[in-house]
Amino acid sequence: MSAYEQLIKSGNKFFLVLEDLTNKIMTSKYNPLYYHGALPQFYLWVLFLSGLLLFAYYIPTVDNAYLSKGIINAWTSVEYINDKIPFGAVVRGIHRYAGDAMVITILLHAIRVWFTDRYRQYRWLQWFSGIVLFVMVLFIGQTGYYLVWDERSLALTRMTVYALEGVPLIGPGLKSWFLNGDTISNYTMSNYLFIHIGLSFSLLFGLWIHYVRMTRPVMTPPPAINYVLMALVLVFVFMFPITSGKMATLNGTPPTGFEMDWFFLAPYALMNVVPSVLVYWLIVVGITVGLCLLPMPWAFLIKEPPVEAAEVVLTKCVGCNLCYLDCPYQAIEMVPAPANSRFKLLATVMPYRCSGCGVCVGACAFDAIDLPDLPDANVLAQVKQIMEAK
Ligand code: HEM
Ligand code: SF4
Ligand code: SF4
């Protein structure tokens, strides 16, 4: 067994022990590990809702807006939300901490599917789209920090400009796309807001790709888990209220440091320690591409013999739909039966999608589907052998 396979095996064992322990404490019905994909999905809805409320009062400018109310720019509008709008500080805190919670739960979800070996072969698309979603979530979070227009926003903006400018050939174009012009201006803030909201909505499309090849993905935790997830966020909102730094001033002394949010801003810490922008991009792009390619067929670190797809015995199939509903890989289609058949539909397997998992064999009450690699007779013989050995 290779070192990689050993790692996956140990990770799997760890999750089994953790699962068992959590079941003892919370019962299997409320075990969050059984809703690992649904946890970030829940926080995404919380972010959409709280973001919508913040958007109602947010002003995306660096100067000169709405002088009459004292709200002259993004920073003052955020202060207004925080201090003057009823529950504004709570909504802001929920938005911030739900973002952090989303990153934590995405990492938990990704580590679980990786260690339970459900990331490759027929799940490569879920893994690949998951990495793209994660990168998008990180960037959305970073643009959230730019929007506050405090000293941290300015420092992050300058660091991002520095990193983008350093990209060979397209650097200057990236810089003017990012700033929405040549320098930081009101247009820059509108661009940040556009990216922040636009990318957030694009997550829905990414998630559609993430879910499309899954049968009945578990997207919603039971209400009791939702309450706990929300309560956890609220504990942080009240214990560690969110505040902005000093208002950014374009011509003032540049800030030397800022409060760090490791969940979103870790790439900036990396930028600070690498010797050049090129090395920074090589590391960031290298890690992202490497993770995306991890489950690709030619990069499989775990070798497996080719799979023989399940086969429907058409003379026995009654078109009941059960195998179609149960196949986890959407590898079964119900097609119109020939005119001389007594039934309207018959099942057919799409071999390129079939993982040979055998779920359909168990689902069929008519013995009408079989795995050529593992015929029923062999399974029965194996079960008999095990029973006799006991
Ligand atoms: C926006 C963030 C994400 C959300 C909301 C999300 C949500 C989900 C949900 C609801 C499922 C179905 C789980 C089930 O039915 O048991 C799922 C499956 C999956 N996700 Fe994600 N996911 C996200 C990010 C990721 C990331 C970052 C990865 C890995 C890099 C990933 C990899 C997978 C894989 C491989 C599956 C299939 C697992 C299986 O067959 O049991 N996802 N995801
Ligand atoms: S063996 Fe059956 S249930 Fe499993 S993937 Fe193939 S068709 Fe679907
Ligand atoms: S479960 Fe069996 S009988 Fe029903 S559609 Fe599938 S193969 Fe046909």
Side-chain angles (χ1 to χ4, degrees):
M1 193 184 287
S2 71
Y4 183 75
E5 283 170 284
Q6 191 65 49
L7 171 77
I8 300 290
K9 210 172 157 209
S10 314
N12 204 339
K13 239 187 205 158
F14 166 77
F15 265 109
L16 281 177
V17 173
L18 189 67
E19 211 172 287
D20 208 35
L21 198 75
T22 324
N23 274 340
K24 284 194 181 112
I25 302 167
M26 301 181 170
T27 74
S28 59
K29 192 176 169 196
Y30 297 110
N31 186 339
L33 290 173
Y34 295 149
Y35 302 96
H36 52 96
L39 306 180
Q41 179 73 69
F42 170 78
Y43 282 123
L44 182 65
W45 298 137
V46 174
L47 284 164
F48 270 125
L49 203 63
S50 51
L52 203 70
L53 295 172
L54 296 175
F55 178 61
Y57 292 95
Y58 179 75
I59 311 288
T61 60
V62 293
D63 58 26
N64 297 335
Y66 305 97
L67 281 164
S68 60
K69 271 193 163 179
I71 304 173
I72 55 163
N73 60 12
W75 187 84
T76 43
S77 76
V78 172
E79 290 300 289
Y80 183 76
I81 293 170
N82 221 50
D83 302 338
K84 301 279 183 335
I85 303 288
F87 300 107
V90 175
V91 174
R92 185 181 175 199
I94 289 174
H95 198 66
R96 171 79 67 87
Y97 288 121
D100 288 343
M102 187 170 175
V103 174
I104 297 172
T105 49
I106 289 178
L107 289 175
L108 174 80
H109 169 57
I111 291 174
R112 184 168 160 97
V113 291
W114 184 43
F115 278 168
T116 47
D117 206 14
R118 300 190 66 159
Y119 69 96
R120 62 203 174 92
Q121 295 231 335
Y122 311 90
R123 287 292 187 238
W124 75 267
L125 183 63
Q126 279 71 27
W127 178 268
F128 185 88
S129 55
I131 296 290
V132 175
L133 281 167
F134 187 46
V135 171
M136 283 167 75
V137 166
L138 289 184
F139 189 47
I140 293 167
Q142 288 163 8
T143 52
Y145 279 104
Y146 310 154
L147 285 173
V148 181
W149 198 235
D150 57 3
E151 286 188 333
R152 171 167 51 192
S153 316
L154 184 56
L156 292 174
T157 297
R158 287 192 170 138
M159 286 174 87
T160 312
V161 168
Y162 168 71
L164 291 177
E165 262 184 326
V167 177
L169 301 174
I170 53 169
L174 284 175
K175 178 191 162 185
S176 49
W177 163 77
F178 182 69
L179 293 180
N180 206 4
D182 292 333
T183 51
I184 301 172
S185 69
N186 289 342
Y187 298 121
T188 311
M189 295 309 280
S190 346
N191 201 30
Y192 288 167
L193 189 62
F194 178 75
I195 298 172
H196 191 69
I197 297 178
L199 264 192
S200 300
F201 279 101
S202 324
L203 284 180
L204 297 178
F205 176 69
L207 281 169
W208 173 71
I209 294 184
H210 199 62
Y211 296 150
V212 75
R213 288 280 300 275
M214 275 189 266
T215 306
R216 295 192 293 277
V218 182
M219 290 189 271
T220 327
I225 293 190
N226 288 343
Y227 299 142
V228 174
L229 294 177
M230 200 58 219
L232 284 173
V233 166
L234 285 172
V235 166
F236 278 87
V237 170
F238 289 107
M239 281 183 66
F240 307 101
I242 299 295
T243 50
S244 308
K246 280 194 210 141
M247 185 166 78
T249 41
L250 282 172
N251 304 320
T253 342
T256 47
F258 51 79
E259 201 193 317
M260 192 64 181
D261 176 344
W262 285 97
F263 297 112
F264 287 108
L265 304 180
Y268 289 93
L270 174 70
M271 210 185 286
N272 247 352
V273 293
V274 290
S276 74
V277 179
L278 213 58
V279 175
Y280 169 76
W281 282 119
L282 280 176
I283 295 176
V284 170
V285 175
I287 292 177
T288 312
V289 173
L291 284 172
C292 281
L293 298 185
L294 195 62
M296 295 301 158
W298 33 266
F300 278 167
L301 294 163
I302 297 174
K303 299 284 171 220
E304 265 171 311
V307 169
E308 288 257 14
E311 279 171 8
V312 177
V313 184
L314 289 174
T315 47
K316 289 185 181 175
C317 177
V318 301
C320 70
N321 233 9
L322 290 178
C323 57
Y324 165 78
L325 292 175
D326 274 3
C327 173
Y329 299 97
Q330 299 190 342
I332 295 181
E333 246 184 331
M334 298 306 295
V335 295
N340 60 355
S341 170
R342 284 193 293 145
F343 309 105
K344 279 191 185 153
L345 298 169
L346 293 178
T348 178
V349 175
M350 290 175 266
Y352 62 96
R353 286 193 176 184
C354 177
S355 71
C357 68
V359 168
C360 53
V361 180
C364 181
F366 300 89
D367 199 18
I369 199 158
D370 219 346
L371 288 173
D373 269 354
L374 200 61
D376 286 3
N378 288 15
V379 177
L380 285 173
Q382 280 178 20
V383 173
K384 211 171 155 198
Q385 209 179 359
I386 295 168
M387 296 305 282
E388 278 169 6
K390 287 233 164 183

